[in-house]
Amino acid sequence: RTLAVLGTGYIGREVIRRALAFRMHVRAWSRSLTAQEASELGAEFCPTPDAAADGADALSVHLALGKSTRNLVGAGLLAKLRPGALVVNLSRGGVVDEEALLDAVKARGIRAGLDVFEREPGANDTKFQDKAIMEVSGIYGTHHTGARTEQASEAVEDAVVAAVDAYLSGREIPGRLA
């Protein structure tokens, strides 16, 4: 399997290490990544995000949000992935064009794991309100835990255990979007 990694900061590099441990072929792109650095990481250097995504089975996104990265993962880049590919956004909402992602999920069977959303719920929101995301099977969301405290980590771990227990018991999964 081929994994495309966009963004090779600390988290992107850790993802590369783990993918290589599973003997995946890894292609990497980052604004500052050189061919030599990619080689040292064990990844194939790609000069553009499109080159990294071309024919990939999975895409992992780890980029800061800015003018050059807003909607970087859009319809054109998503079309480069294999049908049924997995897209994981662990960066910022807005880096992945969610409308284009929804189209790719519906038309090409792309699956997505989103840790962040363009329309993030507020701190006091008790429910996720993005109906377009919620109504599409094939998109899975998690709580963004970028600034993790011990209490936040424990709360996320408890939520994961509760979801797995509900699934194994045949009950409705708490927090399920669709």
Side-chain angles (χ1 to χ4, degrees):
R1 299 287 179 188
T2 297
L3 170 67
V5 176
L6 304 183
T8 56
Y10 178 77
I11 295 171
R13 289 171 187 254
E14 289 297 317
V15 168
I16 290 170
R17 284 184 51 221
R18 285 160 177 77
L20 292 171
F22 285 99
R23 296 195 172 126
M24 293 182 80
H25 175 78
V26 179
R27 294 189 197 132
W29 173 85
S30 194
R31 291 174 291 198
S32 61
L33 183 69
T34 66
Q36 180 177 336
E37 288 172 325
S39 177
E40 290 168 0
L41 290 170
E44 175 186 343
F45 171 77
C46 291
T48 66
D50 282 359
D54 193 22
D57 300 289
L59 170 68
S60 189
V61 185
H62 312 276
L63 299 167
L65 178 62
K67 288 180 183 178
S68 65
T69 59
R70 179 166 296 282
N71 293 327
L72 177 75
V73 180
L77 189 140
L78 292 167
K80 298 276 185 187
L81 298 170
R82 287 184 182 210
L86 174 65
V87 174
V88 179
N89 184 13
L90 300 170
S91 60
R92 294 288 179 254
V95 173
V96 173
D97 178 343
E98 288 180 4
E99 188 173 322
L101 179 63
L102 288 168
D103 290 342
V105 168
K106 293 173 189 173
R108 302 185 60 242
I110 299 293
R111 296 161 295 139
L114 304 177
D115 183 51
V116 292
F117 303 90
E118 282 187 69
R119 291 170 292 283
E120 288 280 338
N124 295 322
D125 291 338
T126 58
K127 289 192 173 213
F128 186 76
Q129 299 295 329
D130 191 330
K131 296 266 188 235
I133 295 286
M134 292 170 58
E135 293 174 354
V136 175
S137 181
I139 296 182
Y140 302 88
T142 62
H143 299 286
H144 182 68
T145 56
R148 291 180 79 165
T149 63
E150 186 174 328
Q151 294 84 0
S153 295
E154 289 174 4
V156 170
E157 292 161 2
D158 289 345
V160 169
V161 169
V164 170
D165 182 56
Y167 174 79
L168 293 174
S169 301
R171 297 188 321 270
E172 184 175 334
I173 299 170
R176 184 168 181 222
L177 299 180

